[in-house]
Amino acid sequence: MEFITKVAAPETIKADCVAVGIHSDGTLTAAAKRIDTASKGAVKAAIKSGDATGKRGNSVLLRNVAGVAAPRVLLIGLGAPGELSDRRYADAVKCAIKHAGSGSRELALAATDWAVKGRDDVAWQARVLVVAARESIFRSDELKSVKDDAAAAPATVTLLVGARDAKAEAGLRQGAALANGMDLTKRLGNLPGNVCTPTFLGEQAKKLGKECGLAVEVHDRKAIEKLRMGSFLSVTNGSAQPPRLIVMKYSGAAKSVAPTVLVGKGITFDTGGISLKPGATMDEMKYDMCGAASVFGTLRAIAEMKLKVNVVGVVVACENMPSSTASKPGDIFTSMSGQTIEVLNTDAEGRLILCDALTYAERFKPAAVIDIATLTGACVVALGDVNSGLFASDDALAADLLKASKTAVDPAWRMPVEDEYQDQLKSNFADMANIGAPGKAGAVLAACFLARFTKKYKWAHLDIAGTAWKSGAAKGATGRPVPLLTHYLMDKAA
Ligand code: BES
Ligand code: MN
Ligand code: ZN
């Protein structure tokens, strides 16, 4: 799908379909007014007939409207004027893509006059348009021998502008880069555990490095042993799949600029280990590498945008399996930091691999470290699938991430990491236990565990257990929080 801008009026644009917005109180956007005038009332007639309601989700396709060059006019309901939120704007774009008519190769969107509440930035509008459009055509049929019927979608989406606008064009390009990153994240998240193994992730990193000009290192078990990542390795004990520590460097700024380090949880399948998970929906634990996948996707997006930032992606990848060699509840391991950990529950494995990656991150003398992980079911209970959980030791970093999440339409909610919780991780036999009392602040405790390994830099943690994928009929990875992370880095580059 290609995205371009054109300077043209909606009634004269030569496209297969032109989409204009109307409101639920019967008022027309500027473009809808022009179509109505040119056609001597076709839009108002559609409203009067009751077909076009202007309500969100309502769309009406008119054909061969007199006085309009495009053979199709699509009326998109935007709801009440002044009530178009970020999310609803994206939904309106998706609605236009879906209902443009299967014969439409080129769809022109008169979307710059869809006034989004609190937004006044055509680059933002163009960016969100592309991401929404690309989201609506994403398919996951790589492993189907009979491919899904590709829903007929326009090959070209044209954003109508009043005058040539470099900002709109830049927004479209940023949107495409972001969508490419999100598609990569979704693809990796959706691939099953037998395909998407730690070894596979290592190969994908090499491939991404070649395509995007990243310096990539993939460390095998021997190298990980040499680094003394005893906590990470403990999680791999039960698995026949060898672990990988993947390091990907993007250098867009001067060498002297301290990098942002993104650390991703890459559990390619989480059975729970000896603390085995219940069987129902266990298949979804193939998504337990979505933190890692979001590091891949963010690097892909920022490389395509050529952002002037330095970023190091660190991915810890392994499987969490039960077997006679698996670690057992009560086992004690020494982390790379030297701190010892009593593993009271082998299903709390994410923190066990992340803590060593967080210690490893020290060597990059980072400006900030952000880890991304499908870490706790408790975070799903707390925030559902709307907000990612944001935990941070640094208020300024938290504020920057929250600001980015708003612009990116990729919401996050700040949660506490406070010393008051640390007592619950006390162990009688090691420096700490890997869990606290069940049912109490599980997402916070996981973050508090990680905090013990992040004292040497500014750190934030995103728990994406609820936001990285959808369950049910629309089961699949969402590509979040690639928009949040990418916008954070865009802000840094600016
Ligand atoms: N990968 C899971 C977290 C998870 C749960 C992600 C549900 C998405 C949906 C993680 O490794 C895990 O199992 N966490 C345990 C921690 C508990 C044992 C303290 C959990 O949340 O139940
Ligand atoms: Mn687990
Ligand atoms: Zn897990």
Side-chain angles (χ1 to χ4, degrees):
M1 192 177 257
E2 197 199 359
F3 297 87
I4 54 173
T5 66
K6 273 188 190 165
V7 183
E11 69 277 15
T12 56
I13 177 85
K14 287 193 181 67
D16 300 309
C17 180
V18 59
V20 298
I22 59 173
H23 292 291
S24 53
D25 65 352
T27 54
L28 309 184
T29 56
K33 257 183 219 147
R34 291 189 70 116
I35 297 273
D36 193 57
T37 307
S39 64
K40 302 202 168 67
V43 178
K44 286 202 177 127
I47 293 172
K48 196 156 175 232
S49 74
D51 288 347
T53 64
K55 286 190 183 147
R56 285 180 286 116
N58 173 272
S59 70
V60 172
L61 190 65
L62 306 175
R63 297 192 42 88
N64 301 325
V65 178
V68 176
R72 298 174 192 78
V73 172
L74 181 61
L75 305 178
I76 297 290
L78 301 178
E83 292 296 313
L84 195 62
S85 65
D86 296 348
R87 175 86 44 213
R88 289 172 183 176
Y89 166 69
D91 287 344
V93 172
K94 287 181 193 166
C95 181
I97 300 290
K98 198 168 157 198
H99 295 110
S102 25
S104 291
R105 301 293 297 157
E106 181 178 353
L107 165 67
L109 287 172
T112 56
D113 65 10
W114 299 0
V116 182
K117 221 187 334 185
R119 303 273 176 205
D120 177 23
D121 175 3
V122 70
W124 180 92
Q125 212 154 5
R127 204 158 60 224
V128 175
L129 183 152
V130 175
V131 171
R134 287 277 301 272
E135 202 147 71
S136 60
I137 58 164
F138 180 83
R139 294 283 175 285
S140 203
D141 56 10
E142 194 175 329
L143 300 179
K144 294 189 181 188
S145 59
V146 181
K147 303 297 176 197
D148 293 348
D149 266 350
T156 304
V157 175
T158 303
L159 177 61
L160 294 183
V161 288
R164 260 212 80 181
D165 189 337
K167 278 194 184 150
E169 278 159 30
L172 292 181
R173 278 196 304 275
Q174 289 169 332
L178 187 49
N180 288 341
M182 290 172 76
D183 279 5
L184 173 60
T185 300
K186 289 187 210 173
R187 169 175 179 256
L188 294 176
N190 289 342
L191 282 173
N194 65 321
V195 174
C196 185
T197 59
T199 308
F200 177 87
L201 283 179
E203 288 160 0
Q204 292 296 306
K206 286 254 156 85
K207 193 164 154 248
L208 183 66
K210 281 218 183 79
E211 284 165 11
C212 298
L214 314 174
V216 174
E217 292 166 18
V218 179
H219 302 286
D220 63 6
R221 181 188 293 278
K222 267 224 172 91
I224 299 165
E225 280 168 359
K226 222 168 142 206
L227 288 163
R228 305 175 69 87
M229 294 183 156
S231 185
F232 173 23
L233 285 167
S234 79
V235 178
T236 75
N237 280 346
S239 171
Q241 292 291 340
R244 291 288 183 264
L245 172 69
I246 302 167
V247 183
M248 300 173 275
K249 284 187 193 155
Y250 169 77
S251 308
K255 264 214 178 91
S256 56
V257 178
T260 301
V261 179
L262 303 178
V263 175
K265 171 179 173 182
I267 294 288
T268 56
F269 198 83
D270 182 11
T271 64
I274 296 298
S275 313
L276 194 65
K277 285 185 180 295
T281 71
M282 203 207 267
D283 67 291
E284 298 199 346
M285 281 302 126
K286 70 176 181 177
Y287 299 121
D288 213 15
M289 34 57 69
C290 278
S294 73
V295 174
F296 279 80
T298 302
L299 285 167
R300 140 132 276 157
I302 64 163
E304 192 173 328
M305 290 182 190
K306 298 196 170 62
L307 288 190
K308 291 193 171 62
V309 289
N310 291 333
V311 178
V312 182
V314 177
V315 162
V316 260
C318 71
E319 258 185 2
N320 187 20
M321 297 291 280
S323 84
S324 74
T325 56
S327 61
K328 307 168 290 296
D331 285 358
I332 295 176
F333 300 97
T334 306
S335 67
M336 186 183 182
S337 72
Q339 300 176 88
T340 58
I341 303 161
E342 184 184 18
V343 176
L344 289 177
N345 188 319
T346 64
D347 197 12
E349 85 297 338
R351 62 200 79 182
L352 295 176
I353 69 170
L354 287 170
C355 68
D356 281 343
L358 289 166
T359 302
Y360 183 79
E362 288 171 9
R363 67 185 53 203
F364 303 110
K365 303 197 168 43
V369 178
I370 305 164
D371 76 73
I372 309 103
T374 46
L375 202 61
T376 65
C379 195
V380 190
V381 173
L383 299 172
D385 59 5
V386 176
N387 281 290
S388 300
L390 166 65
F391 303 80
S393 59
D394 185 85
D395 289 341
L397 177 59
D400 289 349
L401 285 164
L402 287 174
K403 178 173 168 275
S405 90
K406 290 240 155 48
T407 316
V409 202
D410 186 0
W413 196 267
R414 189 163 180 193
M415 305 269 281
V417 219
E418 290 173 310
D419 287 344
E420 278 70 14
Y421 291 94
Q422 288 289 0
D423 285 351
Q424 295 188 46
L425 294 174
K426 202 178 153 300
S427 158
N428 285 359
F429 311 109
D431 295 338
M432 70 194 87
N434 75 329
I435 58 164
K440 275 181 137 178
V444 178
L445 279 192
C448 286
F449 179 95
L450 297 178
R452 294 177 179 230
F453 300 83
T454 62
K455 299 253 155 74
K456 299 206 171 127
Y457 45 69
K458 291 177 184 163
W459 163 73
H461 155 61
L462 287 165
D463 193 332
I464 57 167
T467 53
W469 76 83
K470 293 189 194 118
S471 305
K475 184 152 77 175
T478 60
R480 293 175 66 185
V482 172
L484 189 170
L485 294 167
T486 304
H487 277 78
Y488 169 76
L489 294 165
M490 285 163 69
D491 288 344
K492 278 210 88 131

